[in-house]
Amino acid sequence: MKLSECSISSSKIPEGVADFLDCINLIEVDDVNCSGLQFTWYKSPNGVNGILKKLDRVMANLKFLEEFPLAHAIFKPYRISNHSPAILTIPLNMSRRTHPFKFVNYVLDKGEFLPVLKDVWDSNIEGGFMYRVTQKLKLLKKPCRNLFNVFKCSRKRLHDLRNSLDALQVELDKDPLNPGIREDHANILFEFFEACEDEEKFLLQRSKIKWLEEGDKNTNFFHKTVKSRMTKNRIYVVLDE
């Protein structure tokens, strides 16, 4: 799949690999994090011109990677075979990790943010200047989490808003002069646009991908890519010198 997965340097990926890459992108699978041998297959090991490649893989779909983020594959020495045995470990009895605090940028645009900030910053804390600053920042965590939960741009919220908007537009089509329906439609439409903007800002902050800045749509595949990237960024093995 990559030029680095062969012991003999080459300037191009072999034919047929492009079809394989298209296949795994279509079915949305990815390599499980692994350690051990880099090359899992060899040819002519006793000769001076032996070739080593990474052919064996442990792959999983995105739901598996989300359900078992600590799953890990180990490629062992091949001994008398020409393929490395792979051991897949799936920790089941793992404690749920607590998520560190992360500030969500779109909360700044909400009218409730500045009053919350003022209340916390006006609180009286004894100590040095930097100590007071750090303690006030800590006190801001809980209110910011609460604001994020109130304006959370979840897919379910967008789905419900879309359904409500569809239903109101059907009613408006049947009774276009009804002021109550028009007012409800305007309110839901404003809330829907606001939720879409919040989702865009949240994913832009979370992903930092250039093509999102250039106007790419927030597709279902993009959401899965974000989850997959979080899994791949974990560190499982550290080697000393």
Side-chain angles (χ1 to χ4, degrees), residues 36-52:
L37 296 187
Q38 176 184 359
F39 303 111
T40 64
W41 174 87
Y42 68 84
K43 179 181 180 181
S44 302
N46 297 325
V48 295
N49 296 323
I51 301 175
L52 295 100

Side-chain angles (χ1 to χ4, degrees), residues 41-238:
W41 174 87
Y42 68 84
K43 179 181 180 181
S44 302
N46 297 325
V48 295
N49 296 323
I51 301 175
L52 295 100
K53 295 183 179 181
K54 179 175 178 58
L55 297 185
D56 305 273
R57 326 186 79 89
V58 178
M59 310 189 82
N61 60 17
L62 294 169
K63 181 168 179 58
F64 176 90
L65 297 176
E66 182 180 356
E67 292 290 332
F68 306 104
L70 299 182
H72 183 71
I74 304 173
F75 288 95
K76 295 288 190 176
Y78 34 79
R79 295 180 182 173
I80 60 174
S81 175
N82 61 343
H83 285 273
S84 297
I87 299 175
L88 176 64
T89 59
I90 307 176
L92 297 178
N93 299 325
M94 57 183 182
S95 58
R96 184 175 294 275
R97 65 187 182 93
T98 58
H99 295 281
F101 173 77
K102 294 181 180 179
F103 184 78
V104 185
N105 289 342
Y106 70 77
V107 173
L108 293 170
D109 299 328
K110 307 303 177 184
E112 293 85 347
F113 176 74
L114 287 180
V116 168
L117 175 65
K118 187 177 186 305
D119 289 341
V120 173
W121 223 253
D122 289 343
S123 58
N124 186 22
I125 297 177
E126 300 294 335
F129 177 76
M130 286 307 300
Y131 176 79
R132 297 199 304 271
V133 171
T134 56
Q135 293 304 306
K136 290 178 180 179
L137 288 175
K138 288 181 179 179
L139 291 176
L140 269 176
K141 286 184 179 181
K142 186 175 181 180
C144 287
R145 279 200 182 100
N146 294 335
L147 280 178
F148 173 68
N149 291 330
V150 171
F151 299 102
K152 190 174 182 179
C153 51
S154 63
R155 295 176 62 187
K156 183 179 183 304
R157 181 190 175 202
L158 285 172
H159 179 73
D160 293 341
L161 287 173
R162 287 192 185 98
N163 290 338
S164 300
L165 197 59
D166 292 345
L168 282 172
Q169 288 176 353
V170 170
E171 294 182 16
L172 188 62
D173 184 72
K174 295 178 181 178
D175 190 5
L177 300 180
N178 190 316
I181 298 177
R182 284 182 172 273
E183 184 178 358
D184 292 341
H185 177 262
N187 293 334
I188 292 293
L189 191 62
F190 175 80
E191 190 174 352
F192 177 72
F193 279 133
E194 188 178 32
C196 289
E197 290 179 358
D198 289 345
E199 184 190 38
E200 186 78 18
K201 293 174 183 176
F202 175 71
L203 292 175
L204 178 61
Q205 176 185 355
R206 187 176 180 181
S207 65
K208 298 180 182 179
I209 296 179
K210 184 177 180 179
W211 50 266
L212 180 62
E213 297 176 355
E214 296 173 353
D216 197 275
K217 303 299 182 183
N218 293 323
T219 61
N220 188 35
F221 175 75
F222 173 75
H223 288 271
K224 294 179 180 179
T225 304
V226 173
K227 294 178 181 178
S228 176
R229 184 178 295 274
M230 290 176 62
T231 302
K232 295 185 71 172
N233 284 340
R234 298 178 188 272
I235 299 175
Y236 294 86
V237 178
V238 178

